[in-house]
Amino acid sequence: MKNFKLPKLVIFDMDGTMLDTEPISLKAMMHAGTELGVEIKIDVAESLMGKSIVRCREILRANYGENFDLDKAFEIHKDYVMSYYKENNVPIKTGIYELLDKLETMGIKKAVATSTGKQAALWKLNNAKIAHRFDVIIGGDEVENGKPSPDIFLKAAADCGTAPADCIIIEDTEAGILGATAADIRVIAVPDIAPLTEEIRAKAFVVCKDLHVVAEMFGE
């Protein structure tokens, strides 16, 4: 791609970017609501994608009130998704192996910056058999402020010894793209099930339909 400066580090979001987990997470959240006698709307469930657990709690509380049992809802959600993954394994996004192979051939470092807690993230990435392919894996519980704050991206860059100007972030959600923008790091948007507004898409360096297209950006 013209004017594409190769990075020294690529920082990946996890859910919805590398792992095709957001559809099952949506089903799990709406299932949790049903179990607790609350109808969680699809747009509310989608608005949780990519955000920190603190922000998710705020959104759910704002929509369903103080009496909605958040702890129980997240427990039901976790049990639902873990049961699914243990039976079916964690699904991956098309193009991820191709992109990782290309970055490794080019000697470009790779990091994960996910809102998911560190231990859960490691479990998912190990189940998908790609955890060993990253130099650094940062979970959402390792930073004070979750996405859309820039903290997790700046930590990933610092832990890899790389200046933000030499990084690129790959993200699927509004929260992640806003966090990348706040970190002053170029971001490649690869939208998943939660739609991105034109305003958010405009903040990305480029918008790609999948990771195959991202891999093509790094040359033949």
Side-chain angles (χ1 to χ4, degrees), residues 98-113:
E98 176 188 353
L99 178 53
L100 293 175
D101 289 346
K102 184 164 287 189
L103 296 177
E104 287 164 10
T105 298
M106 300 176 76
I108 295 173
K109 290 185 286 188
K110 307 175 299 304
V112 176

Side-chain angles (χ1 to χ4, degrees), residues 8-9 11 109 154 157-158 160-168 184-185:
K8 295 179 181 178
L9 169 66
I11 304 172
K109 290 185 286 188
L154 295 174
C160 287
T162 308
D166 292 322
C167 300
I168 276 183
D184 200 22
I185 298 176

Side-chain angles (χ1 to χ4, degrees), residues 102-176:
K102 184 164 287 189
L103 296 177
E104 287 164 10
T105 298
M106 300 176 76
I108 295 173
K109 290 185 286 188
K110 307 175 299 304
V112 176
T114 175
S115 295
T116 299
K118 179 66 169 283
Q119 292 307 309
L122 287 172
W123 188 93
K124 286 184 181 180
L125 293 168
N126 276 308
N127 183 275
K129 297 180 172 56
I130 58 173
H132 65 285
R133 304 190 69 170
F134 295 93
D135 299 274
V136 165
I137 297 171
I138 309 294
D141 53 355
E142 296 184 273
V143 292
E144 182 175 355
N145 301 301
K147 303 173 189 178
S149 294
D151 302 28
I152 197 165
F153 297 126
L154 295 174
K155 177 172 173 56
D159 286 3
C160 287
T162 308
D166 292 322
C167 300
I168 276 183
I169 293 166
I170 304 177
E171 267 283 359
D172 71 300
T173 66
E174 175 181 324

